[in-house]
Amino acid sequence: MQNATIRSPDTLRSQRVPPGQKLTEKFPVLHHGSVPPVGVSAWNFQIEGLIKQPRTLSFQEFSLLPRVRVFSDLHCVTGWSRLNNTWEGVSSQTIKDIVDILPEARYVMVHGAGGFTTNLPIDEFFAEDVLFAFTHDDKPITAEHGAPVRLVVPRLYLWKSAKWANGVEFMAQDKPGFWESFGYHMHGDPWTEERYGGR
Ligand SMILES: Nc1nc2c(c(=O)[nH]1)N[C@H]1C(S)=C(S)[C@@H](COP(=O)(O)O)O[C@H]1N2
Ligand SMILES: [Mo]
């Protein structure tokens, strides 16, 4: 049986395209550096930082976690938006069942292969439409879009959706991730155009 699909709330807006964005039917590929190889045997997922006991999950363990389906729009800071995406994968909320997060934790740094990082407030990381996705529109995510697993954070600009995701780190204070350290906004709300600079 397929899971009921969680609708990202922004897909219920009467105007679904944020200010300064244009619609595309395509799914452009954007990232820094080269596409890492998709080997799942050496893949693991590390949960670290402000938790009682760090945990590392193998690909097998991670892929056996319960799955959710999410319907979302995507908004890239470079100006394109793509509507009606369906994702399937592990809800960010499942992490709460795997580790004990300390009360001081207020931010999350998501890690991706090759040293990529992106920072999020903890409440936004645990929003019900945030997931570590294996599939996009019912097909396995391609290598250039982040296989085997990519984070999807539908309510923030797409740079927060780390491709080749391989871990999360809980932090007391906010810290810039990769693009944020080059001047991208610390938060990245597309509806208020938090594109570059600022917190
Ligand atoms: N690991 C990793 N993830 C990343 C990036 C990156 O450089 N490395 N770039 C981000 C940026 S800036 C964008 S716009 C989106 C693009 O996702 P797409 O290639 O699937 O469209 O990936 C995000 N995730
Ligand atoms: Mo981007």
Side-chain angles (χ1 to χ4, degrees):
M1 205 184 75
Q2 259 186 355
N3 295 317
T5 302
I6 296 162
R7 272 196 92 126
S8 177
D10 286 340
T11 66
L12 298 168
R13 291 176 185 251
S14 52
Q15 164 54 271
R16 282 166 69 178
V17 185
Q21 297 291 110
K22 282 205 173 75
L23 283 184
T24 177
E25 302 277 306
K26 298 197 207 92
F27 192 0
V29 171
L30 292 160
H31 53 258
H32 173 77
S34 51
V35 176
V38 186
V40 295
S41 56
W43 188 95
N44 60 38
F45 190 87
Q46 271 176 302
I47 311 173
E48 57 196 352
L50 297 173
I51 51 181
K52 275 201 186 133
Q53 188 80 57
R55 260 305 284 278
T56 301
L57 288 92
S58 67
F59 188 76
Q60 160 105 31
E61 289 170 311
F62 194 85
S63 55
L64 288 172
L65 296 172
R67 305 264 176 126
V68 293
R69 283 170 74 80
V70 171
F71 180 75
S72 84
D73 297 337
L74 304 178
H75 309 296
C76 177
V77 72
T78 61
W80 56 267
S81 290
R82 186 182 193 278
L83 306 185
N84 305 323
N85 300 273
T86 301
W87 307 93
E88 193 169 291
V90 175
S91 169
S92 61
Q93 296 179 357
T94 299
I95 292 178
K96 292 184 185 175
D97 304 330
I98 301 175
V99 292
D100 289 315
I101 301 163
L102 300 179
E104 306 89 275
R106 290 179 53 226
Y107 293 88
V108 178
M109 190 70 85
V110 181
H111 292 253
F116 183 78
T117 51
T118 190
N119 54 308
L120 296 163
I122 196 165
D123 294 349
E124 293 176 64
F125 174 71
F126 284 130
E128 66 157 5
D129 55 352
V130 173
L131 80 166
F132 290 92
F134 298 94
T135 68
H136 174 250
D137 290 347
D138 291 313
K139 290 187 283 291
I141 288 183
T142 59
E144 71 260 28
H145 286 297
V149 179
R150 93 171 289 168
L151 183 69
V152 181
V153 186
R155 292 184 242 188
L156 297 176
Y157 281 122
L158 191 58
W159 85 78
K160 298 285 183 183
S161 293
K163 304 200 281 193
W164 315 295
N166 60 10
V168 290
E169 176 190 346
F170 291 93
M171 314 185 291
Q173 259 129 38
D174 204 6
K175 222 168 55 175
F178 178 81
W179 291 112
E180 294 83 4
S181 72
F182 287 102
Y184 282 39
H185 200 280
M186 289 291 274
H187 182 227
D189 178 356
W191 299 94
T192 53
E193 292 198 74
E194 292 176 340
R195 293 175 188 273
Y196 307 103
R199 311 193 70 87

